[in-house]
Amino acid sequence: MKLAGAGSSSVHVWDLAAPGVVTSYLDSHTEDVTQVRFHATHADLLYSASVDGLVCQFDTSVADEDDALLTVLPIEDSVRNIGFIGGSHLYAITHTELVSVFNLETEQRVVDRCNVRQAYAANGIEVDFVVDCQADAEAGRLLVLTGTSTYVSHTS
């Protein structure tokens, strides 16, 4: 079993059966890494998200960074959170509340930086921030969990 973490712009991988860091990927991101996640069904595939606006896919069975780096997905904005929709799609939430979805097989963006605030406002729903996304596998869709910062005071 593997474990991954990040420090600054570096990604580190540990194998729980071996002492110490197994490998580190030091040059793929230029700014702070905000999240690392292993693929839902492929245990050796690791995804890292960063403030630099990139999501990188690594094959953690390969130690050399140049060979391990399989894909770079351009989110084009500081990435706060990533996750999977089944085993075939990845979603990315930016610090500016934009949501993108990529098909992992084709590396194509299938949802292009959706502005959640504007999309909900068009339907009369107030949204200040995206909390997270949740995949609804049965329906084959992505549920976007949102919130508001509206404070309602009550005085008696």
Side-chain angles (χ1 to χ4, degrees):
M1 177 178 267
K2 292 181 182 177
L3 174 73
S8 188
S9 62
S10 302
V11 175
H12 308 286
V13 179
W14 292 265
D15 185 333
L16 297 180
V21 172
V22 174
T23 191
S24 292
Y25 306 123
L26 308 174
D27 298 320
S28 296
H29 289 291
T30 58
E31 296 184 46
D32 290 346
V33 173
T34 54
Q35 188 173 28
V36 291
R37 278 205 149 162
F38 282 98
H39 189 276
T41 58
H42 300 289
D44 285 330
L45 294 182
L46 176 68
Y47 292 79
S48 59
S50 172
V51 174
D52 63 13
L54 302 175
V55 171
C56 295
Q57 177 195 45
F58 299 97
D59 178 350
T60 61
S61 67
V62 178
D64 180 73
E65 184 169 1
D66 290 335
D67 295 332
L69 181 61
L70 302 176
T71 303
V72 177
L73 301 174
I75 308 303
E76 302 166 12
D77 200 358
S78 175
V79 184
R80 177 172 48 93
N81 194 13
I82 57 173
F84 300 99
I85 307 167
S88 62
H89 290 79
L90 176 136
Y91 68 83
I93 304 169
T94 71
H95 286 102
T96 57
E97 314 306 327
L98 302 177
V99 176
S100 293
V101 177
F102 285 83
N103 179 316
L104 293 174
E105 293 172 15
T106 64
E107 300 175 14
Q108 297 299 308
R109 191 187 308 246
V110 294
V111 174
D112 188 15
R113 298 170 35 114
C114 175
N115 186 321
V116 175
R117 289 181 186 135
Q118 287 179 353
Y120 279 90
N123 293 312
I125 301 169
E126 179 184 355
V127 169
D128 291 326
F129 54 90
V130 176
V131 176
D132 200 358
C133 294
Q134 180 69 43
D136 181 350
E138 262 184 44
R141 63 183 179 165
L142 184 66
L143 304 174
V144 179
L145 309 173
T146 63
T148 67
S149 55
T150 303
Y151 176 75
V152 178
S153 65
H154 175 71
T155 57
S156 40

